[in-house]
Amino acid sequence: MREFITPEFIANQIRMRRSAYSGTFIIVEGSTDTRVYERCLDNKKCNFEIANNKDKAIAALSILERDNFTGVLAIVDADFSRLEGTLPASQNLLFTDYHDLEIMLIQSPALDKLMREFGSEEKINNFYKLYQPIIINLLENGKLIGYLRWVSLKFNLSLKFENLTYSKFIDQKTLKVDIAKLIKAVKDHSQKPALIEKDIQEKLENLQDNDHDPLQVCCGHDLICILSIGLCKIWGTWNSNDVKPEVLEISLRLAYEESYFRDTQLYKLIQGWEQNNQPYQVLSSPSSEN
């Protein structure tokens, strides 16, 4: 069904709804984005339209902008656009602070709340003393997977990461990613036997740069999958079925508070959009936040 939802369809849906709704329309990539934003924004002032992916969200916005349709805003993941220097220029198109919305959640105090709920305090403290803070560990190990995703995008390799088995390339004791095993696992999972693993690794290593912000390189889903493995032994004692990535993603969304969102750059950008697009509003007023 999703493939039949075109940018034109999304734009027409918003046009038709305008006659009955005078507030702001916000186009987002998916339903999970809506679940976060509807808790951080004022639902009386805005309605969400789910585009089902980033390209469709941007294309639908462009269609409406060409028609001089007012009161519409799109919020999408930055992905690798900041690193590539290819952020599209539109005052009605806003991007997440980091690679994606999940990274914004992980970078917030919501991660600490999740770890207090699922983690073992003793194991977490021991890990911190022996190695590093959990967020640093997640970013360092997730960065390699992020670079492989970027290589796939940059060189049109069409590698498949959905439903990837992370335990094939992650050390269960340290959570370190074995780059050779990672490339082989993704290549096999993608059913791309013609690809040469050494060539992929060379491209990945050439792309790596210490100046790259890991928060822009890492994909949130990858970090949550690493976190899932870590909570089974290193940071907790859970059965893998109890800390599946989808369970942790839900818990992370529920732990994310509106106050965390107010500290983000995205919040400030929305404030600027409101000032430039009166009378349309998105954010809760100070009186309703108290």
Side-chain angles (χ1 to χ4, degrees):
M1 179 63 186
R2 289 183 179 180
E3 59 267 23
F4 298 113
I5 299 177
T6 64
E8 290 77 14
F9 177 84
I10 297 164
N12 285 335
Q13 287 289 104
I14 292 174
R15 288 192 193 100
M16 288 189 292
R17 289 166 61 191
R18 174 55 84 205
S19 60
Y21 182 72
S22 60
T24 303
F25 290 103
I26 301 180
I27 306 173
V28 296
E29 293 185 45
S31 59
T32 55
D33 298 330
T34 301
R35 289 174 207 153
V36 174
Y37 291 131
E38 68 185 3
R39 295 172 59 239
C40 298
L41 307 176
D42 192 329
N43 295 311
K44 295 178 181 178
K45 297 176 180 176
C46 56
N47 269 348
F48 294 94
E49 186 71 30
I50 299 170
N52 289 308
N53 69 42
K54 178 179 178 178
D55 291 339
K56 288 181 182 180
I58 295 174
L61 175 66
S62 297
I63 292 169
L64 292 168
E65 287 181 328
R66 286 199 298 269
D67 293 343
N68 295 316
F69 188 95
T70 59
V72 63
L73 172 67
I75 304 176
V76 298
D77 291 339
D79 296 324
F80 297 106
S81 297
R82 282 198 183 89
L83 295 170
E84 292 275 10
T86 57
L87 288 177
S90 166
Q91 64 170 357
N92 300 311
L93 178 60
L94 303 184
F95 294 87
T96 51
D97 287 19
Y98 308 122
H99 186 279
D100 52 38
L101 181 56
E102 287 79 9
I103 292 291
M104 287 181 64
L105 305 188
I106 291 169
Q107 178 65 2
S108 79
L111 177 62
D112 291 332
K113 290 171 68 176
L114 182 145
M115 294 307 295
R116 284 198 296 272
E117 182 68 27
F118 288 95
S120 159
E121 184 177 358
E122 180 182 358
K123 287 194 170 194
I124 292 171
N125 289 337
N126 287 339
F127 185 87
Y128 182 87
K129 291 175 184 176
L130 290 172
Y131 300 105
Q132 56 201 166
I134 288 173
I135 182 63
I136 301 300
N137 181 274
L138 291 173
L139 289 170
E140 282 193 2
N141 292 309
K143 192 164 62 172
L144 281 175
I145 312 172
Y147 273 118
L148 184 56
R149 287 179 179 271
W150 193 3
V151 165
S152 178
L153 183 70
K154 199 175 186 69
F155 296 98
N156 299 311
L157 301 184
S158 300
L159 295 176
K160 181 184 176 186
F161 292 85
E162 188 177 359
N163 299 321
L164 187 63
T165 303
Y166 287 71
S167 58
K168 288 184 176 180
F169 52 84
I170 291 178
D171 187 289
Q172 307 292 304
K173 294 181 180 179
T174 64
L175 301 181
K176 294 289 185 184
V177 172
D178 184 308
I179 188 168
K181 290 181 180 179
L182 165 65
I183 293 170
K184 181 177 181 356
V186 174
K187 173 189 164 183
D188 292 347
H189 183 65
S190 307
Q191 297 182 339
K192 298 277 187 177
L195 292 178
I196 300 172
E197 292 166 32
K198 282 188 177 180
D199 289 349
I200 297 174
Q201 183 166 341
E202 184 179 345
K203 287 181 171 62
L204 190 154
E205 291 171 350
N206 289 338
L207 194 57
Q208 287 180 297
D209 189 324
N210 289 333
D211 290 335
H212 290 155
D213 183 352
L215 293 167
Q216 301 292 346
V217 176
C218 290
C219 169
H221 181 72
D222 294 334
L223 301 199
I224 289 170
C225 288
I226 297 172
L227 186 63
S228 173
I229 294 173
L231 283 169
C232 292
K233 290 183 181 179
I234 298 176
W235 300 318
T237 55
W238 291 89
N239 180 286
S240 59
N241 286 328
D242 296 323
V243 286
K244 288 181 178 179
E246 52 266 35
V247 172
L248 298 180
E249 286 171 350
I250 292 170
S251 299
L252 201 58
R253 288 195 296 269
L254 291 174
Y256 192 74
E257 300 178 14
E258 184 183 353
S259 60
Y260 307 158
F261 186 67
R262 287 191 223 122
D263 289 333
T264 65
Q265 183 63 28
L266 178 56
Y267 181 87
K268 295 180 178 65
L269 292 173
I270 294 174
Q271 284 182 314
W273 183 89
E274 286 184 328
Q275 293 171 3
N276 294 326
N277 290 272
Q278 295 292 340
Y280 299 105
Q281 297 289 300
V282 173
L283 301 170
S284 300
S285 59
S287 60
S288 64
E289 290 175 358
N290 297 330

